[in-house]
Amino acid sequence: MLTQCMGVPHISTGDMLRDRIRQDGEVGTAVGATMQSGALVSDDLVNLMVQERLSQPDAARGFVLDGYPRTIGQAEHLSKWLEGRGIREVVIHLAVDYNVIIARLTGRRQCPRCGTLYNIASQPPRVDNLCDLDGEPLVVRDDDREEVIRERLEAYENQTRPVLDFFSASGCRVVKVDASDHPPEAVFEKIRQAIETDDCS
Ligand code: AMP
């Protein structure tokens, strides 16, 4: 919703890494093993990947970064890169209760062909376990198993939560949005208001 209304690309490091795994090769195998364990992939690899993507022409007017930066090292790298180009960032902190996160992720299903996301509780497909758009059987992401989700939450606490303080301390706008029990449209509206961009009117 956000990228549509702003006309800028959605850049998800998780999606980019999953593409890498599909392309296989040695790096893909190592990345896949790290992701399946719930740990974070190395800063060097992710920083380089993002830097290359942000240099593409479609990102010249702005972009929405999703899942990045996730460590202080990544935040420092990104800040330097943005500063060098005179780009001002807004940080949106989507605050969600851990029990809600676990319920959302364990219920998440995805179409392996077109990428459409479902949730067996809140947004099920019309026909049980088949994609509405192309009829493909839906899959569970390898890292959406409960024991891996707990590892991912631990990585968040230890490595990603400090990133919020980093941005606050550097004078950047950090907007906290409660995303626990509101529909996506309401969360989007709160973000839109926080960004206050004319593009979205
Ligand atoms: P996501 O799709 O954003 O939930 O990310 C899934 C997994 O990809 C994470 O648990 C990490 O293993 C890896 N990953 C995604 N983004 C990053 C990042 N910025 N830094 C390190 N690892 C990442």
Side-chain angles (χ1 to χ4, degrees):
M1 283 185 245
L2 191 56
T3 55
Q4 262 175 20
C5 112
M6 296 178 75
V8 297
H10 168 218
I11 298 177
S12 152
T13 44
D15 285 348
M16 289 164 87
L17 290 165
R18 281 182 287 278
D19 277 350
R20 253 203 196 205
I21 294 170
R22 274 191 287 275
Q23 287 157 15
D24 238 14
E26 245 170 72
V27 178
T29 312
V31 167
T34 305
M35 286 169 77
Q36 271 187 36
S37 75
L40 295 182
V41 174
S42 83
D43 283 356
D44 285 349
L45 174 66
V46 178
N47 284 337
L48 187 66
M49 216 172 61
V50 171
Q51 201 171 306
E52 281 172 6
R53 180 63 187 88
L54 296 186
S55 306
Q56 299 293 312
D58 66 332
R61 275 194 61 245
F63 39 82
V64 175
L65 285 169
D66 171 2
Y68 178 92
R70 255 170 153 111
T71 66
I72 294 283
Q74 292 175 19
E76 284 171 345
H77 183 88
L78 177 69
S79 289
K80 226 180 268 169
W81 195 91
L82 295 176
E83 209 178 297
R85 284 156 187 80
I87 301 171
R88 194 174 49 90
E89 71 274 50
V90 180
V91 176
I92 308 292
H93 172 201
L94 296 173
V96 184
D97 180 89
Y98 272 10
N99 290 323
V100 176
I101 291 181
I102 292 170
R104 281 186 192 165
L105 296 188
T106 49
R108 178 159 67 177
R109 301 289 181 274
Q110 188 165 29
C111 173
R113 191 189 294 174
C114 69
T116 303
L117 288 168
Y118 300 86
N119 188 286
I120 50 173
S122 58
Q123 208 183 348
R126 282 196 295 270
V127 179
D128 200 25
N129 213 44
L130 296 181
C131 179
D132 290 351
L133 304 182
D134 53 30
E136 193 79 10
L138 303 178
V139 297
V140 178
R141 245 170 69 168
D142 282 342
D143 59 351
D144 277 347
R145 287 174 292 119
E146 191 159 342
E147 63 277 18
V148 183
I149 293 170
R150 292 197 183 279
E151 290 297 322
R152 290 164 64 193
L153 292 175
E154 208 171 305
Y156 176 82
E157 279 303 329
N158 297 332
Q159 293 167 275
T160 306
R161 194 181 284 282
V163 170
L164 283 172
D165 295 332
F166 170 89
F167 280 116
S168 299
S170 60
C172 170
R173 240 180 107 206
V174 179
V175 181
K176 186 172 177 182
V177 175
D178 177 5
S180 263
D181 56 2
H182 302 289
E185 291 75 14
V187 175
F188 164 65
E189 188 52 31
K190 283 194 237 172
I191 297 172
R192 193 189 68 78
Q193 283 171 11
I195 294 175
E196 290 173 348
T197 162
D198 293 338
D199 290 345
C200 290
S201 54

